[in-house]
Amino acid sequence: MTREETTRGGESLSEEELAGFLRLLLSGDNLPPPNEEVLAYLEGLADRHEMDPRTAIEVARVARAAIIKERLRFAHPTPVRALGSHLLAKRTEASCRMEDVAAVLGERVETLRALESHDIDPLSLGSPRLAMIAETFGLMVSELRESLRLALSGVAPRVTGTSFARSHEEAFKSDMVRLAKDDLLRASRPRPDPGKPETQARIDAILVEVRSILEQRGLKALLD
């Protein structure tokens, strides 16, 4: 990074401020909101030899994951859809690439693609992986419960007007088309009984475990 200052939303971040952000990342305390400029700075540290290249790369990876999680958590597409479609809607609205989200989740891209396309039973992922999804995407337990119910029952959400994700980037147009197609297909299917006891029992059982994992991680904000 050759410039002495980086600009974010009209504010200038000096080299000292960026270095301070790096120290906060390493300590893990009181992190300010990450951004792309900070990420570029961290990645540039390896080239400037101000710290061990492997350490710089690892810190940059942590910063990238923080940026992705922040974007996903602030994305609030409506209505709540079946889990795969809901994750796709959040990812598209947050303008996050599938490859980047899969890396944060610790999943193969093919697994996330299959989940978004409803090609796998989401409960087959198990409670630890569902908890990781809830944490990464900022899903409330109640929101996760509804999305699982829709995924397992095949019930389409009641959509009024246009409800597509709000990403305007060219790279995400195919995802928006995929989401719109899924909404239309699910809305046109017959509505099976969403309250089958065996379906709800499966969901409730795994959500007990998911809630416990989130609680152990101190993510009380997601427990409602």
Side-chain angles (χ1 to χ4, degrees), residues 187-215:
S188 67
R189 292 172 185 160
R191 291 175 176 265
D193 177 13
K196 290 182 178 179
E198 60 271 24
T199 298
Q200 194 58 51
R202 291 182 65 205
I203 294 173
D204 288 343
I206 204 164
L207 283 180
V208 168
E209 299 174 1
V210 169
R211 176 181 285 274
S212 176
I213 293 171
L214 294 175
E215 194 166 13

Side-chain angles (χ1 to χ4, degrees), residues 80-86 115-120 122 146-159 178-192:
V80 174
R81 297 168 168 87
L83 184 61
S85 295
H86 200 52
L115 182 58
E116 288 186 352
S117 302
H118 310 284
D119 290 334
I120 58 176
E146 177 65 6
S147 67
L148 287 171
R149 183 185 70 83
L150 292 172
L152 296 181
S153 68
V155 176
R158 293 190 179 277
V159 178
R178 221 162 38 101
L179 181 61
K181 180 180 178 181
D182 184 71
D183 279 348
L184 291 173
L185 285 174
R186 293 177 69 80
S188 67
R189 292 172 185 160
R191 291 175 176 265

Side-chain angles (χ1 to χ4, degrees), residues 5-6 8 14 23 63 65 79 97 99 119 139-140 170-171 182-183 196:
E5 291 188 339
T6 314
R8 177 190 63 186
S14 67
R23 288 192 294 272
R97 299 186 312 138
E99 293 80 3
D119 290 334
L139 298 178
M140 308 286 285
E170 186 73 24
D182 184 71
D183 279 348
K196 290 182 178 179

